[in-house]
Coordinates of all heavy atoms in Angstrom, one line a residue:
M1 N 85.2 93.3 113.8 CA 85.2 93.0 115.2 C 84.3 91.8 115.5 O 83.1 91.7 115.2 CB 84.6 94.2 116.0 CG 85.4 95.5 115.9 SD 86.9 95.4 116.8 CE 86.4 95.9 118.5
S2 N 84.9 90.7 116.0 CA 84.2 89.5 116.3 C 83.9 89.5 117.7 O 84.7 89.3 118.6 CB 85.0 88.3 115.8 OG 86.2 88.2 116.5
K3 N 82.6 89.7 118.1 CA 82.2 89.6 119.5 C 81.5 88.3 119.7 O 80.3 88.1 119.5 CB 81.3 90.8 119.8 CG 81.7 91.6 120.9 CD 80.7 92.7 121.3 CE 81.2 93.4 122.6 NZ 80.2 94.3 123.1
R4 N 82.3 87.3 120.1 CA 81.8 86.0 120.2 C 81.3 85.8 121.7 O 81.7 86.4 122.6 CB 82.9 85.0 119.9 CG 83.2 85.0 118.4 CD 83.5 83.7 117.9 NE 84.9 83.4 117.9 CZ 85.4 82.2 118.0 NH1 84.7 81.1 118.1 NH2 86.7 82.0 118.0
K5 N 80.3 85.0 121.7 CA 79.6 84.7 123.0 C 80.1 83.3 123.6 O 80.4 82.4 122.8 CB 78.1 84.7 122.9 CG 77.6 86.0 122.3 CD 77.4 87.0 123.4 CE 76.8 88.3 122.9 NZ 76.7 89.3 123.9
C6 N 80.1 83.2 124.8 CA 80.4 82.0 125.5 C 79.3 80.9 125.2 O 78.1 81.2 125.5 CB 80.5 82.2 127.0 SG 80.7 80.7 128.0
P7 N 79.7 79.7 124.7 CA 78.6 78.7 124.4 C 77.9 78.2 125.7 O 76.9 77.6 125.6 CB 79.5 77.6 123.8 CG 80.7 78.2 123.3 CD 81.0 79.3 124.3
I8 N 78.5 78.4 126.8 CA 78.0 77.8 128.1 C 76.9 78.8 128.6 O 75.8 78.5 128.9 CB 79.0 77.5 129.1 CG1 79.9 76.4 128.6 CG2 78.4 77.2 130.5 CD1 81.1 76.0 129.6
C9 N 77.4 80.1 128.8 CA 76.5 81.0 129.6 C 76.1 82.2 128.7 O 75.2 83.0 129.2 CB 77.2 81.5 130.8 SG 78.5 82.6 130.5
G10 N 76.7 82.4 127.5 CA 76.3 83.5 126.7 C 77.0 84.8 127.1 O 76.7 85.8 126.5
G11 N 78.0 84.7 127.9 CA 78.7 85.9 128.3 C 79.7 86.3 127.2 O 80.0 85.6 126.3
N12 N 80.2 87.5 127.4 CA 81.2 88.0 126.4 C 82.5 87.3 126.5 O 83.0 87.2 127.7 CB 81.3 89.5 126.5 CG 80.1 90.2 126.0 OD1 79.5 89.8 125.0 ND2 79.7 91.3 126.7
L13 N 83.2 87.0 125.4 CA 84.5 86.4 125.5 C 85.6 87.5 125.3 O 85.5 88.4 124.4 CB 84.7 85.4 124.4 CG 83.7 84.2 124.5 CD1 84.0 83.2 123.3 CD2 83.9 83.4 125.8
K14 N 86.6 87.5 126.1 CA 87.7 88.5 126.0 C 89.0 87.8 125.7 O 89.2 86.6 126.2 CB 87.8 89.2 127.3 CG 86.7 90.2 127.6 CD 86.9 90.9 128.9 CE 85.8 91.9 129.2 NZ 86.0 92.6 130.5
K15 N 89.8 88.4 125.0 CA 91.1 87.9 124.7 C 92.0 87.8 126.0 O 92.0 88.8 126.7 CB 91.9 88.7 123.7 CG 91.8 88.2 122.3 CD 92.7 89.0 121.3 CE 93.3 88.2 120.2 NZ 94.2 88.9 119.4
G16 N 92.7 86.7 126.1 CA 93.5 86.6 127.3 C 94.4 85.4 127.2 O 94.6 84.8 126.1
T17 N 94.9 84.9 128.3 CA 95.8 83.7 128.3 C 95.3 82.8 129.4 O 94.7 83.3 130.4 CB 97.2 84.0 128.5 OG1 97.4 84.7 129.7 CG2 97.8 84.8 127.3
T18 N 95.6 81.5 129.2 CA 95.1 80.6 130.2 C 96.3 79.6 130.4 O 97.2 79.5 129.7 CB 93.9 79.8 129.8 OG1 93.4 79.0 130.9 CG2 94.1 79.0 128.6
T19 N 96.1 78.8 131.4 CA 97.1 77.7 131.7 C 96.5 76.4 131.3 O 95.4 76.0 131.8 CB 97.5 77.7 133.2 OG1 98.1 79.0 133.5 CG2 98.6 76.6 133.4
Y20 N 97.2 75.6 130.5 CA 96.7 74.4 129.9 C 97.4 73.2 130.6 O 98.6 73.2 130.5 CB 96.9 74.4 128.4 CG 96.4 73.2 127.7 CD1 95.1 73.0 127.3 CD2 97.3 72.2 127.3 CE1 94.7 71.9 126.6 CE2 96.9 71.1 126.5 CZ 95.6 71.0 126.2 OH 95.2 69.9 125.5
T21 N 96.7 72.4 131.3 CA 97.3 71.3 132.0 C 96.8 70.0 131.5 O 95.7 69.8 131.2 CB 96.9 71.4 133.5 OG1 97.2 72.7 134.0 CG2 97.7 70.4 134.3
V22 N 97.8 69.1 131.2 CA 97.5 67.8 130.7 C 98.0 66.7 131.7 O 99.2 66.7 132.1 CB 98.1 67.5 129.3 CG1 97.7 66.2 128.8 CG2 97.7 68.6 128.4
D23 N 97.1 65.9 132.2 CA 97.5 64.9 133.1 C 97.8 63.6 132.3 O 96.9 62.9 131.8 CB 96.4 64.6 134.1 CG 96.9 63.8 135.3 OD1 98.0 63.3 135.3 OD2 96.2 63.7 136.3
L24 N 99.1 63.3 132.2 CA 99.5 62.1 131.5 C 99.5 60.9 132.5 O 99.5 61.1 133.7 CB 100.9 62.2 130.8 CG 101.0 63.4 129.8 CD1 102.4 63.6 129.4 CD2 100.1 63.1 128.6
E25 N 99.6 59.7 132.0 CA 99.6 58.5 132.9 C 100.8 58.6 133.9 O 100.6 58.3 135.0 CB 99.8 57.3 132.0 CG 98.6 56.9 131.1 CD 97.5 56.3 131.9 OE1 97.8 55.4 132.7 OE2 96.3 56.7 131.8
F26 N 101.9 59.1 133.3 CA 103.2 59.1 134.1 C 103.5 60.4 134.7 O 104.5 60.5 135.5 CB 104.3 58.5 133.3 CG 104.4 59.3 132.0 CD1 105.2 60.5 131.9 CD2 103.8 58.8 130.8 CE1 105.3 61.2 130.8 CE2 103.9 59.5 129.7 CZ 104.6 60.7 129.6
G27 N 102.8 61.4 134.3 CA 103.2 62.7 134.8 C 102.3 63.8 134.3 O 101.2 63.6 133.9
L28 N 102.8 65.1 134.5 CA 102.0 66.2 134.3 C 102.7 67.2 133.3 O 103.9 67.5 133.5 CB 101.7 66.9 135.6 CG 100.5 67.9 135.7 CD1 99.2 67.2 135.5 CD2 100.6 68.5 137.1
V29 N 102.0 67.7 132.4 CA 102.5 68.8 131.5 C 101.7 70.0 131.7 O 100.4 70.0 131.6 CB 102.5 68.4 130.0 CG1 103.1 69.5 129.2 CG2 103.3 67.1 129.9
V30 N 102.3 71.1 132.0 CA 101.6 72.4 132.2 C 102.1 73.4 131.1 O 103.3 73.6 131.0 CB 101.9 73.0 133.6 CG1 101.2 74.3 133.8 CG2 101.4 72.0 134.7
V31 N 101.2 74.0 130.4 CA 101.6 75.0 129.4 C 101.0 76.3 129.8 O 99.8 76.4 129.9 CB 101.1 74.6 128.0 CG1 101.7 75.6 126.9 CG2 101.5 73.2 127.6
R32 N 101.9 77.2 130.1 CA 101.5 78.6 130.6 C 101.3 79.6 129.4 O 101.9 79.4 128.3 CB 102.5 79.1 131.6 CG 102.6 78.2 132.8 CD 103.7 78.7 133.7 NE 103.5 80.1 134.1 CZ 104.4 81.1 134.0 NH1 105.5 80.9 133.4 NH2 104.1 82.3 134.4
K33 N 100.5 80.6 129.7 CA 100.4 81.7 128.7 C 99.9 81.3 127.4 O 100.3 81.7 126.3 CB 101.7 82.5 128.6 CG 102.1 83.2 129.9 CD 103.3 84.0 129.8 CE 103.7 84.6 131.1 NZ 105.0 85.3 131.0
V34 N 98.9 80.4 127.4 CA 98.3 79.9 126.2 C 97.2 81.0 125.7 O 96.3 81.3 126.5 CB 97.6 78.6 126.3 CG1 96.9 78.1 125.1 CG2 98.6 77.5 126.8
P35 N 97.3 81.5 124.5 CA 96.3 82.4 124.1 C 94.9 81.8 124.1 O 94.7 80.7 123.5 CB 96.7 82.8 122.6 CG 98.2 82.4 122.6 CD 98.3 81.2 123.5
A36 N 93.9 82.5 124.6 CA 92.6 81.9 124.7 C 91.6 83.0 124.8 O 91.9 84.2 125.1 CB 92.5 81.0 125.9
K37 N 90.3 82.7 124.6 CA 89.3 83.6 124.8 C 88.6 83.3 126.2 O 88.2 82.1 126.4 CB 88.2 83.6 123.7 CG 88.8 84.1 122.4 CD 87.7 84.1 121.3 CE 88.3 84.6 120.0 NZ 89.2 83.5 119.4
I38 N 88.6 84.2 127.1 CA 88.1 84.0 128.4 C 86.7 84.6 128.5 O 86.5 85.7 128.2 CB 89.0 84.6 129.5 CG1 90.5 84.3 129.1 CG2 88.7 84.1 130.8 CD1 91.0 82.9 129.2
C39 N 85.8 83.8 129.1 CA 84.5 84.3 129.3 C 84.5 85.3 130.5 O 85.0 84.9 131.6 CB 83.5 83.2 129.5 SG 81.8 83.7 130.0
S40 N 83.9 86.4 130.3 CA 83.9 87.4 131.4 C 82.9 87.1 132.4 O 82.9 87.6 133.5 CB 83.6 88.8 130.8 OG 82.4 88.8 130.1
Q41 N 82.0 86.2 132.1 CA 80.9 85.8 133.1 C 81.3 84.6 133.9 O 81.2 84.6 135.1 CB 79.6 85.6 132.3 CG 78.4 85.8 133.1 CD 77.2 86.1 132.3 OE1 77.1 87.2 131.8 NE2 76.3 85.1 132.2
C42 N 81.6 83.4 133.2 CA 81.8 82.2 134.0 C 83.2 81.8 134.1 O 83.6 80.9 134.8 CB 81.0 81.1 133.3 SG 81.6 80.5 131.8
G43 N 84.1 82.5 133.3 CA 85.5 82.3 133.4 C 86.1 81.1 132.6 O 87.2 80.8 132.7
E44 N 85.2 80.5 131.9 CA 85.6 79.4 131.0 C 86.6 79.9 130.0 O 86.4 81.0 129.4 CB 84.4 78.8 130.4 CG 84.6 77.5 129.6 CD 85.0 76.3 130.5 OE1 84.5 76.2 131.6 OE2 85.8 75.5 130.0
D45 N 87.6 79.1 129.7 CA 88.6 79.5 128.6 C 88.3 78.6 127.4 O 88.1 77.5 127.4 CB 90.0 79.4 129.1 CG 90.3 78.1 129.8 OD1 90.0 77.0 129.3 OD2 90.9 78.2 130.9
W46 N 88.5 79.3 126.2 CA 88.2 78.7 124.9 C 89.5 78.9 124.1 O 89.9 80.0 123.8 CB 87.0 79.3 124.2 CG 85.8 79.2 125.1 CD1 85.3 80.2 126.0 CD2 84.9 78.1 125.3 NE1 84.2 79.7 126.6 CE2 83.9 78.4 126.2 CE3 84.9 76.8 124.6 CZ2 82.9 77.6 126.6 CZ3 83.8 76.0 125.0 CH2 82.9 76.3 126.0
I47 N 90.1 77.7 123.7 CA 91.3 77.7 123.0 C 91.0 77.5 121.5 O 90.3 76.5 121.2 CB 92.3 76.7 123.5 CG1 92.6 77.0 125.0 CG2 93.6 76.6 122.7 CD1 93.4 75.9 125.7
D48 N 91.6 78.3 120.6 CA 91.4 78.1 119.2 C 91.9 76.7 118.7 O 92.9 76.3 119.3 CB 92.1 79.2 118.4 CG 91.3 80.5 118.5 OD1 90.1 80.5 118.9 OD2 91.9 81.6 118.2
P49 N 91.2 76.1 117.7 CA 91.6 74.8 117.3 C 93.1 74.7 116.8 O 93.8 73.7 117.1 CB 90.7 74.6 116.1 CG 89.5 75.4 116.3 CD 90.0 76.6 117.1
D50 N 93.6 75.8 116.1 CA 95.0 75.7 115.7 C 96.0 75.8 116.8 O 97.0 75.2 116.8 CB 95.3 76.8 114.6 CG 95.0 78.2 115.2 OD1 94.1 78.3 116.0 OD2 95.6 79.2 114.8
I51 N 95.6 76.5 117.9 CA 96.4 76.6 119.1 C 96.3 75.2 119.8 O 97.3 74.7 120.3 CB 96.0 77.7 119.9 CG1 96.4 79.1 119.2 CG2 96.7 77.7 121.3 CD1 95.8 80.3 119.9
A52 N 95.1 74.7 119.8 CA 94.9 73.4 120.5 C 95.8 72.3 119.9 O 96.4 71.4 120.6 CB 93.5 73.0 120.5
S53 N 95.9 72.3 118.5 CA 96.6 71.3 117.8 C 98.1 71.5 118.1 O 98.9 70.5 118.2 CB 96.3 71.3 116.3 OG 96.8 72.5 115.8
K54 N 98.6 72.7 118.3 CA 100.0 73.0 118.6 C 100.3 72.5 120.0 O 101.3 71.9 120.3 CB 100.3 74.4 118.5 CG 101.8 74.7 118.4 CD 102.1 76.1 118.4 CE 103.7 76.3 118.5 NZ 104.1 77.7 118.7
L55 N 99.3 72.6 120.9 CA 99.4 72.1 122.3 C 99.5 70.6 122.3 O 100.3 70.0 123.0 CB 98.2 72.5 123.1 CG 98.2 74.0 123.5 CD1 96.8 74.3 124.2 CD2 99.3 74.4 124.5
E56 N 98.8 70.0 121.4 CA 98.8 68.5 121.3 C 100.2 68.0 120.9 O 100.7 67.0 121.4 CB 97.8 68.0 120.3 CG 96.4 67.9 121.0 CD 95.3 67.6 120.0 OE1 95.6 66.9 119.0 OE2 94.2 67.9 120.2
E57 N 100.8 68.8 119.9 CA 102.2 68.5 119.5 C 103.2 68.6 120.7 O 104.0 67.7 120.9 CB 102.7 69.5 118.4 CG 102.2 69.1 117.0 CD 102.6 70.2 116.0 OE1 103.7 70.8 116.2 OE2 101.8 70.4 115.1
T58 N 103.0 69.7 121.4 CA 103.9 69.9 122.6 C 103.7 68.8 123.6 O 104.7 68.3 124.1 CB 103.5 71.3 123.2 OG1 103.6 72.3 122.2 CG2 104.5 71.6 124.3
V59 N 102.5 68.4 123.8 CA 102.3 67.3 124.8 C 102.8 66.0 124.3 O 103.4 65.2 125.1 CB 100.7 67.2 125.1 CG1 100.4 65.9 125.9 CG2 100.2 68.4 125.8
A60 N 102.7 65.8 123.0 CA 103.3 64.6 122.4 C 104.8 64.5 122.6 O 105.3 63.4 122.8 CB 102.9 64.5 120.9
Q61 N 105.4 65.7 122.4 CA 106.9 65.7 122.6 C 107.2 65.4 124.1 O 108.2 64.7 124.3 CB 107.4 67.1 122.2 CG 107.5 67.3 120.7 CD 107.7 68.8 120.4 OE1 108.1 69.6 121.2 NE2 107.5 69.1 119.1
A62 N 106.5 65.9 125.0 CA 106.7 65.7 126.4 C 106.5 64.2 126.7 O 107.2 63.6 127.5 CB 105.8 66.6 127.3
R63 N 105.5 63.6 126.1 CA 105.2 62.2 126.3 C 106.4 61.3 125.8 O 106.7 60.4 126.5 CB 104.0 61.9 125.5 CG 103.3 60.5 125.9 CD 102.3 60.1 124.9 NE 101.1 61.1 124.9 CZ 100.0 60.9 125.6 NH1 99.9 59.9 126.4 NH2 99.1 61.8 125.5
E64 N 107.0 61.7 124.7 CA 108.1 61.0 124.1 C 109.3 61.0 125.1 O 110.0 60.1 125.2 CB 108.5 61.5 122.7 CG 107.7 61.0 121.6 CD 107.9 61.6 120.3 OE1 109.1 62.1 120.1 OE2 107.0 61.7 119.4
K65 N 109.5 62.2 125.6 CA 110.6 62.4 126.6 C 110.4 61.7 127.9 O 111.3 61.3 128.6 CB 110.9 63.9 126.8 CG 111.6 64.6 125.7 CD 112.0 66.0 126.1 CE 110.9 67.0 126.1 NZ 111.3 68.4 126.4
G66 N 109.1 61.5 128.2 CA 108.8 60.7 129.4 C 109.1 61.5 130.7 O 109.3 60.9 131.7
T67 N 109.0 62.8 130.6 CA 109.2 63.6 131.8 C 108.1 63.5 132.7 O 106.9 63.5 132.3 CB 109.4 65.1 131.4 OG1 108.4 65.5 130.5 CG2 110.8 65.4 130.8
E68 N 108.4 63.5 134.0 CA 107.3 63.4 135.0 C 106.6 64.7 135.2 O 105.4 64.7 135.4 CB 107.9 63.0 136.4 CG 108.2 61.5 136.4 CD 108.8 61.1 137.8 OE1 108.5 61.8 138.8 OE2 109.5 60.1 137.8
F69 N 107.3 65.8 135.1 CA 106.7 67.1 135.3 C 107.3 68.1 134.4 O 108.6 68.2 134.4 CB 106.7 67.5 136.8 CG 106.0 68.8 137.1 CD1 104.7 68.9 137.0 CD2 106.8 69.9 137.4 CE1 104.0 70.1 137.2 CE2 106.1 71.1 137.7 CZ 104.7 71.2 137.6
E70 N 106.6 68.8 133.6 CA 107.1 69.8 132.7 C 106.3 71.0 132.7 O 105.1 70.9 132.5 CB 107.3 69.1 131.3 CG 108.0 70.0 130.3 CD 108.6 69.2 129.2 OE1 108.2 68.1 129.0 OE2 109.5 69.8 128.6
V71 N 106.9 72.2 132.8 CA 106.2 73.4 132.7 C 106.8 74.1 131.5 O 107.9 74.4 131.3 CB 106.4 74.3 134.0 CG1 105.7 75.6 133.8 CG2 105.9 73.6 135.2
I72 N 105.9 74.5 130.6 CA 106.2 75.1 129.3 C 105.5 76.4 129.2 O 104.3 76.5 129.6 CB 105.8 74.2 128.1 CG1 106.5 72.8 128.3 CG2 106.2 74.8 126.8 CD1 105.8 71.7 127.5
T73 N 106.2 77.4 128.7 CA 105.5 78.6 128.3 C 105.2 78.6 126.9 O 106.1 78.4 126.0 CB 106.4 79.9 128.7 OG1 106.7 79.8 130.1 CG2 105.7 81.2 128.4
Y74 N 104.0 78.9 126.5 CA 103.5 78.7 125.1 C 104.4 79.6 124.2 O 104.7 79.1 123.1 CB 102.0 79.1 125.0 CG 101.5 78.9 123.6 CD1 101.0 77.7 123.2 CD2 101.5 80.0 122.7 CE1 100.5 77.5 122.0 CE2 101.0 79.8 121.4 CZ 100.5 78.5 121.1 OH 100.0 78.3 119.8
D75 N 104.7 80.8 124.6 CA 105.4 81.7 123.7 C 106.8 81.1 123.3 O 107.3 81.5 122.3 CB 105.7 83.1 124.4 CG 104.3 83.8 124.6 OD1 103.4 83.5 123.9 OD2 104.3 84.6 125.6
N76 N 107.3 80.3 124.1 CA 108.7 79.8 123.9 C 108.7 78.4 124.3 O 109.2 78.0 125.3 CB 109.7 80.6 124.7 CG 111.1 80.3 124.4 OD1 111.3 79.4 123.5 ND2 112.0 80.8 125.1
T77 N 108.1 77.5 123.4 CA 107.9 76.1 123.8 C 109.2 75.3 123.8 O 109.2 74.2 124.2 CB 107.0 75.5 122.8 OG1 107.4 75.7 121.5 CG2 105.5 76.0 123.0
V78 N 110.3 75.9 123.4 CA 111.6 75.2 123.4 C 112.2 75.2 124.8 O 112.8 74.3 125.3 CB 112.6 75.9 122.4 CG1 114.0 75.2 122.5 CG2 112.1 75.9 121.0
T79 N 112.0 76.3 125.5 CA 112.5 76.4 126.9 C 111.6 75.6 127.9 O 110.4 76.0 128.0 CB 112.6 77.9 127.3 OG1 113.4 78.6 126.4 CG2 113.2 78.0 128.7
T80 N 112.2 74.6 128.4 CA 111.4 73.8 129.4 C 112.1 73.8 130.7 O 113.3 74.1 130.9 CB 111.2 72.4 128.9 OG1 112.5 71.9 128.7 CG2 110.4 72.4 127.6
H81 N 111.4 73.4 131.7 CA 111.9 73.4 133.1 C 112.0 71.9 133.5 O 110.9 71.3 133.5 CB 111.0 74.2 134.0 CG 111.5 74.1 135.5 ND1 112.7 74.7 135.9 CD2 111.0 73.5 136.5 CE1 112.8 74.4 137.2 NE2 111.8 73.7 137.6
Ligands
ZN101 ZN1 80.6 81.7 130.1

């Protein structure tokens, strides 16, 4: 059992999901249901490095496509709106 503490406030981190938003020069990419650890005290979300790198790939793909606005669900990154 890994009971990790929030680096900001020392609160307990709970498993959950968060919405990851990236503001690109030309548009916006929103990734929903990203697995993260949520601080029960201050509400800060902490995304694991391997998940963060996958998010970067997803954002890079959106950047290549040049979409102005894209909403992606993390579980199924192929389906876009
Ligand atoms: Zn906190």
Side-chain angles (χ1 to χ4, degrees):
M1 297 290 274
S2 60
K3 236 189 174 184
R4 292 216 264 154
K5 300 280 184 182
C6 172
I8 293 176
C9 72
N12 289 321
L13 298 178
K14 289 182 179 177
K15 261 186 147 184
T17 58
T18 188
T19 301
Y20 180 81
T21 307
V22 185
D23 196 351
L24 303 171
E25 292 282 314
F26 53 85
L28 196 68
V29 179
V30 179
V31 189
R32 297 172 62 233
K33 295 182 181 175
V34 178
K37 293 183 180 71
I38 316 293
C39 176
S40 57
Q41 200 158 292
C42 71
E44 186 70 31
D45 46 49
W46 304 94
I47 298 169
D48 285 342
D50 56 330
I51 292 169
S53 64
K54 198 185 173 191
L55 285 173
E56 277 171 29
E57 278 176 35
T58 305
V59 171
Q61 283 168 16
R63 194 192 297 267
E64 277 173 27
K65 281 191 283 183
T67 45
E68 281 181 26
F69 183 68
E70 185 154 22
V71 180
I72 304 161
T73 302
Y74 184 84
D75 293 335
N76 187 3
T77 51
V78 178
T79 304
T80 58
H81 177 70

